[in-house]
């Protein structure tokens, strides 16, 4: 398209020069053509700006208030959920838990404890698969299995979705959109699965947090230091004046900053 437009512009200038039009008119025309190119550039750039109809993932919200959302991905294991829930209760913090459907199916008692603690339930897919390597039908089936398993275990309707390992592509986002999910990414990753110390987790969050942040942590057994690091982390964020919201409350209280994931 651009090559064709460029050829038209060059041809126009060549014809004008061939007819020996006055130099002042040529300058005006070139200015007009430059403005047209800039306008086209602007329109093409808009293709990368999200609208409500485009598939997108929400990583953070725009807000002047010092509000943040603490989220936990849960895919396997049964030893860390209870200690994490205990800390959250003691700190008076409500979080959003993204549950794997297969995990909820095998641990309905723990899923119910999360609900009982007043926390928000969301979907993390069913089989912890890489959606980037799956076709649309397989993605939809996995999402449907997860929704059914989570709602059966918790009695809650899930409207938020985060794919396993935050593996996004446009096909996955469009499928989630068709299923009326709001896809949630994160702006801060605690790195609690790979962290070698509680201090590292604390620094990963406090050095990157800002108003409207969505913080990603884990309540799976692979994140062995999460429960131990959580009290100091929450206290540090409170000391900085942050208030904790569920993701849904954060979205309702502020303007979302959405982005198209290519």
């Amino acid at each position: 398209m651009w090559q064709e437009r460029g050829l038209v512009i060059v041809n126009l200038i060549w014809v004008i020069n061939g007819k020996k039009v006055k130099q002042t008119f040529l300058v005006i025309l070139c200015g007009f053509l430059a403005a047209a190119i800039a306008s086209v550039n602007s329109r093409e750039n808009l293709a990368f700006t999200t609208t409500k109809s485009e598939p997108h993932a929400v990583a953070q919200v725009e807000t002047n208030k010092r509000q943040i959302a603490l989220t936990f991905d849960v895919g396997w294991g049964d030893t860390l959920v209870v200690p994490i829930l205990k800390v959250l209760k003691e700190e008076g913090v409500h979080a959003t838990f993204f549950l794997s459907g297969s995990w909820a199916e095998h641990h309905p008692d723990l899923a119910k404890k999360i609900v009982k603690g007043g926390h928000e339930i969301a979907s993390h897919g069913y089989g912890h698969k890489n959606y980037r390597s799956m076709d649309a039908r397989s993605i939809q089936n996995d999402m449907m299995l997860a929704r059914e398993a989570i709602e059966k275990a918790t009695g809650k309707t899930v409207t938020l979705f985060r794919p396993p390992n935050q593996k996004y592509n446009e096909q996955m986002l469009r499928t989630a959109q068709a299923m009326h999910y709001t896809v949630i990414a994160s702006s801060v990753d605690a790195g609690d699965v790979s962290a070698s110390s509680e201090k590292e987790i604390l620094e990963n969050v406090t050095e990157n947090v800002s108003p409207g942040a969505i913080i990603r942590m884990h309540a799976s057994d692979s994140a062995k230091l999460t429960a131990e690091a959580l009290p100091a982390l929450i206290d540090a964020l409170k000391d900085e004046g942050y208030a904790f919201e569920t993701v849904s409350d954060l979205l309702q209280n502020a303007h979302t900053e959405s982005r198209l994931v290519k």
Side-chain angles (χ1 to χ4, degrees):
M1 181 182 293
W2 268 112
Q3 288 82 352
E4 293 174 359
R5 287 175 180 156
L7 182 60
V8 170
I9 291 170
V10 171
N11 284 342
L12 281 172
I13 294 174
W14 182 85
V15 171
I16 291 169
N17 284 333
K19 291 183 179 180
K20 298 183 179 179
V21 178
K22 291 181 180 180
Q23 184 176 4
T24 54
F25 179 74
L26 180 58
V27 169
I28 293 172
L29 180 60
C30 287
F32 172 78
L33 292 172
I37 292 172
S39 175
V40 172
N41 265 330
S42 175
R43 287 195 298 273
E44 290 203 347
N45 286 337
L46 286 177
F48 297 94
T49 304
T50 57
T51 66
K52 290 182 179 179
S53 62
E54 292 176 321
H56 62 276
V58 180
Q60 184 162 355
V61 302
E62 290 184 25
T63 178
N64 294 324
K65 299 178 181 179
R66 296 182 76 80
Q67 297 176 328
I68 53 179
L70 190 59
T71 70
F72 294 89
D73 294 353
V74 191
W76 53 84
D78 59 2
T79 63
L80 287 183
V81 169
V82 171
I84 288 173
L85 289 176
K86 183 175 183 292
V87 173
L88 294 175
K89 182 177 180 180
E90 291 171 349
E91 295 285 350
V93 169
H94 288 154
T96 299
F97 284 78
F98 289 85
L99 308 183
S100 161
S102 60
W103 182 88
E105 205 168 61
H106 288 92
H107 304 286
D109 53 334
L110 291 177
K112 288 181 174 65
K113 284 184 179 180
I114 296 172
V115 174
K116 188 176 180 180
H119 305 289
E120 182 173 35
I121 300 295
S123 177
H124 196 41
Y126 184 83
H128 211 271
K129 299 177 180 179
N130 181 359
Y131 283 0
R132 287 180 181 173
S133 63
M134 298 165 62
D135 59 38
R137 183 180 293 276
S138 298
I139 293 172
Q140 184 181 45
N141 288 340
D142 193 81
M143 287 182 178
M144 289 178 65
L145 284 173
R147 173 178 280 171
E148 292 169 0
I150 294 167
E151 293 183 357
K152 181 179 179 180
T154 65
K156 295 291 183 179
T157 300
V158 288
T159 59
L160 304 179
F161 186 88
R162 175 182 286 160
N165 297 319
Q166 295 201 117
K167 298 291 186 182
Y168 300 88
N169 61 18
E170 188 168 348
Q171 177 176 251
M172 175 262 137
L173 291 167
R174 289 192 182 281
T175 304
Q177 182 185 56
M179 295 183 67
H180 307 291
Y181 275 123
T182 299
V183 180
I184 304 300
S186 62
S187 56
V188 179
D189 196 319
D192 51 339
V193 172
S194 60
S196 58
S197 68
E198 297 169 27
K199 181 182 178 182
E200 184 179 346
I201 295 172
L202 181 65
E203 291 176 347
N204 286 342
V205 176
T206 57
E207 293 179 2
N208 296 288
V209 72
S210 59
I214 298 175
I215 302 169
R216 180 184 178 224
M217 301 188 77
H218 295 80
S220 296
D221 284 3
S222 55
K224 301 183 183 303
L225 298 175
T226 302
E228 287 78 6
L230 199 54
L233 174 59
I234 292 174
D235 289 345
L237 292 170
K238 285 181 177 179
D239 288 345
E240 293 184 23
Y242 286 107
F244 293 85
E245 307 282 351
T246 64
V247 171
S248 289
D249 286 342
L250 192 66
L251 294 177
Q252 289 177 1
N253 294 338
H255 300 291
T256 60
E257 180 183 302
S258 304
R259 57 185 174 83
L260 181 64
V261 179
K262 289 292 184 181

